[in-house]
Amino acid sequence: MTTDTEASGPGAAAAAVTRMMAGPVRADEIDLSIGEPDQALPGVLVEAAVRSLRDGRTGYTPKLGLPELRDLVAADVEAGTGYRPDVEDVVITVGGTGAVAVALAAACAPGGSVLVPDPAWPNYRVLAERLGIGVLTYPQGESGDGFLDLARIRSGLRAGARLVAVNSPSNPTGAVASAAALRSLVALVREFGAYVLSDEAYESVVFAGGRAPSPLADGGVDVTFAARTFSKTYSMTGLRVGALISPPRFRTAAAALHGTTAGCAPVTAQLTAIEALSSLPGRADQLSATYLARYRTAVQILGPWAPGTPVETLGGFYLWLDARPAGHTSAEVCAALRDRGIVTSSGLVYSATDGFVRVALTAPDDVLARALTLIREELDRLAARAC
Ligand code: PMP
């Protein structure tokens, strides 16, 4: 239920997201609407989780996380960026969601504003509105140097934004920022005394291989909040553990915000995360290869409906489908696909531009191929009818 106040006021984005999220999925439907990895939790992680309970490790941990895990996260950041954060600036959070929330509140509340990309994961906007933080947008570009529209970001900073959210690889487009684009962003925010929120939820899924560039590299540490998660890389979405690396001057604010909202991240999840970082070093490469193969299959099956972007420049879990040539709104296309048994996300959850659909490539290969074939058929049918 939305109230009249919410329909036009600060809750508008949240209400819109609630309305547009797919309803409960039936057993005979194929769910491509959420970024829930279809791979099972790896066996060694199952063992670690069970062991934590058998060993009676069910109490609180230190608020900011188990010291061993904070160290391992610092080492993992160093492996990907060449920069090793001070462990005092690493907080183990309740998923990437917790890390993003702490960063947003630390940098912008009360009364500040945040610049978010369009399209983007809706949480930045919804939470900002709930915290009384203003929201400005900039267009999310293609992979590479054009990922960030620096002119638009500069205008947003001039208008008073304190934080610029970036999400590479992007949910929903899959675009990956170049290191040069992120360096330019770091220089720009520094000019304005502002900060970057680098949401790195998908940093391990890069089709060209390796890890996605981070603004933490090349000396961006004093202006960068980096939000990480174990959810996607290790199929740990429900265990709820992530990490926030904050600029040193936000050490106290991040600790206070995390400590008072989460207490600590779940201990079982933290112990499982220690095992993940210790014993699954090849996980990112495996995952990147899996999603690259799926994206290629999707391009082949979707034909003219597939994004024209070179696949090797992308990453992440999603395909951002421009259904506008079918002549219908996002909601109508999603409803038509649902009638065929395929659950997708309306593009309006992520963007102010109507006509897009987000397809999560998170189903086993054969199921995914079947679903994509039905999507192609339905889009062709809608387009033929629109002519
Ligand atoms: N950032 C982005 C862009 C995401 O898509 C997600 C999950 N959908 C998250 C952060 C957070 O995920 P979690 O809280 O499970 O770590």
Side-chain angles (χ1 to χ4, degrees), residues 34-340:
I34 44 174
E36 179 79 85
D38 55 298
Q39 299 87 356
L41 184 68
V44 282
L45 302 191
V46 173
E47 289 310 315
V50 169
R51 199 164 52 239
S52 79
L53 300 176
R54 288 224 173 92
D55 291 350
R57 303 281 307 266
T58 53
Y60 291 126
T61 70
K63 278 195 168 62
L64 304 188
L66 292 168
E68 186 184 351
L69 181 55
R70 294 170 77 196
D71 270 338
L72 284 166
V73 168
D76 188 51
V77 169
E78 185 179 22
T81 66
Y83 159 74
R84 189 185 189 98
D86 185 330
V87 81
E88 293 303 322
D89 296 317
V90 176
V91 178
I92 304 304
T93 55
V94 179
T97 302
V100 165
V102 167
L104 197 60
C108 297
S113 51
V114 60
L115 253 170
V116 303
D118 180 335
W121 188 50
N123 276 41
Y124 316 125
R125 172 182 287 277
V126 173
L127 181 64
E129 289 181 351
R130 285 291 167 194
L131 293 179
I133 292 167
V135 179
L136 304 166
T137 55
Y138 69 92
Q140 166 73 75
E142 301 270 317
S143 289
D145 293 346
F147 185 84
L148 298 166
D149 184 332
L150 293 170
R152 289 286 293 276
I153 293 174
R154 178 178 286 278
S155 320
L157 290 167
R158 251 196 219 116
R162 285 188 201 157
L163 187 69
V164 181
V166 291
N167 173 219
S168 166
S170 154
N171 170 11
T173 71
V176 180
S178 68
L182 295 173
R183 270 197 302 274
S184 303
L185 177 64
V186 163
L188 186 56
V189 296
R190 221 179 244 138
E191 224 182 278
F192 285 86
Y195 296 89
V196 176
L197 165 55
S198 178
D199 181 346
E200 303 180 354
Y202 302 92
E203 58 85 31
S204 65
V205 187
V206 178
F207 298 162
R211 311 283 285 261
S214 165
L216 285 174
D218 304 314
V221 46
D222 57 320
V223 294
T224 301
F225 292 87
R228 296 271 178 115
T229 179
F230 290 83
S231 289
K232 311 292 179 173
T233 311
Y234 299 102
S235 296
M236 284 172 58
T237 46
L239 290 179
R240 311 306 300 136
V241 60
L244 176 67
I245 296 95
S246 301
R249 85 188 58 145
F250 285 96
R251 193 175 283 178
T252 311
L257 285 162
H258 167 77
T260 53
T261 53
C264 66
V267 61
T268 304
Q270 293 193 54
L271 290 164
T272 309
I274 288 174
E275 187 67 37
L277 287 178
S278 310
S279 62
L280 295 173
R283 183 77 179 173
D285 292 342
Q286 275 169 17
L287 218 56
S288 298
T290 299
Y291 284 98
L292 168 60
R294 287 182 182 177
Y295 203 104
R296 283 209 172 111
T297 305
V299 168
Q300 214 175 13
I301 295 176
L302 292 173
W305 298 101
T309 325
V311 178
E312 300 71 23
T313 66
L314 299 171
F317 283 14
Y318 309 102
L319 187 142
W320 185 235
L321 197 155
D322 184 355
R324 287 175 296 184
H328 292 269
T329 64
S330 301
E332 286 165 350
V333 175
C334 287
L337 294 176
R338 188 126 198 199
D339 287 343
R340 304 288 301 265

